[in-house]
Amino acid sequence: QVQLVESGGGLVQPGGSLRLSCVASGLTFRTHVMRWYRQPPEKKREFVASVSESAAIMNYADSVKGRFTISRDNAKNTVYLQMNSLKTEDTAVYYCHAHDSVPSSPHYWGQGTQVTVSS
């Protein structure tokens, strides 16, 4: 079955950095657009960043532009999120998402990894 497993979350001070990873299995990774979402405490899940199948196109939420970088390694079935200059408002559970862009295809989600930005 399809699995998306995130790692790399933790507690970091404001201004610090973290790198999240998401390893995918059970799917053809190179045919899937990969995205990161996050859900802050008591708020709805929101889009953070996406990377196209070949890594040619990346998109970011305005709130993270210039601070976060999404990348992928299709040989390792892994997508990354490098987070720099972290702010307290970046505190959230971060989720990995995969979809092959066919409307009827299933959406896959990871279990999430907690990122807490606090002094």
Side-chain angles (χ1 to χ4, degrees):
Q1 73 277 21
V2 175
Q3 281 193 310
L4 302 177
V5 181
E6 302 100 333
S7 62
L11 173 64
V12 63
Q13 292 187 339
S17 298
L18 281 176
R19 188 194 196 202
L20 305 184
S21 300
C22 170
V23 180
S25 60
L27 54 74
T28 306
F29 185 76
R30 67 181 185 277
T31 66
H32 285 68
V33 175
M34 299 301 297
R35 296 178 177 88
W36 287 96
Y37 287 80
R38 67 185 182 187
Q39 187 163 13
E42 301 181 4
K43 293 186 178 180
K44 293 181 179 179
R45 193 171 298 188
E46 61 187 22
F47 169 78
V48 176
S50 66
V51 58
S52 63
E53 296 90 328
S54 65
I57 300 172
M58 284 78 79
N59 287 297
Y60 298 93
D62 287 343
S63 58
V64 307
K65 278 181 183 176
R67 300 188 298 121
F68 290 12
T69 302
I70 189 171
S71 61
R72 66 188 293 161
D73 185 338
N74 285 350
K76 295 182 178 180
N77 284 8
T78 303
V79 61
Y80 305 97
L81 186 68
Q82 178 67 44
M83 306 186 294
N84 299 330
S85 303
L86 283 161
K87 305 176 182 180
T88 55
E89 51 263 44
D90 294 319
T91 294
V93 178
Y94 283 72
Y95 297 91
C96 179
H97 171 272
H99 187 243
D100 70 1
S101 299
V102 176
S104 59
S105 293
H107 294 254
Y108 301 109
W109 292 91
Q111 83 288 349
T113 185
Q114 176 70 48
V115 171
T116 302
V117 185
S118 175
S119 54

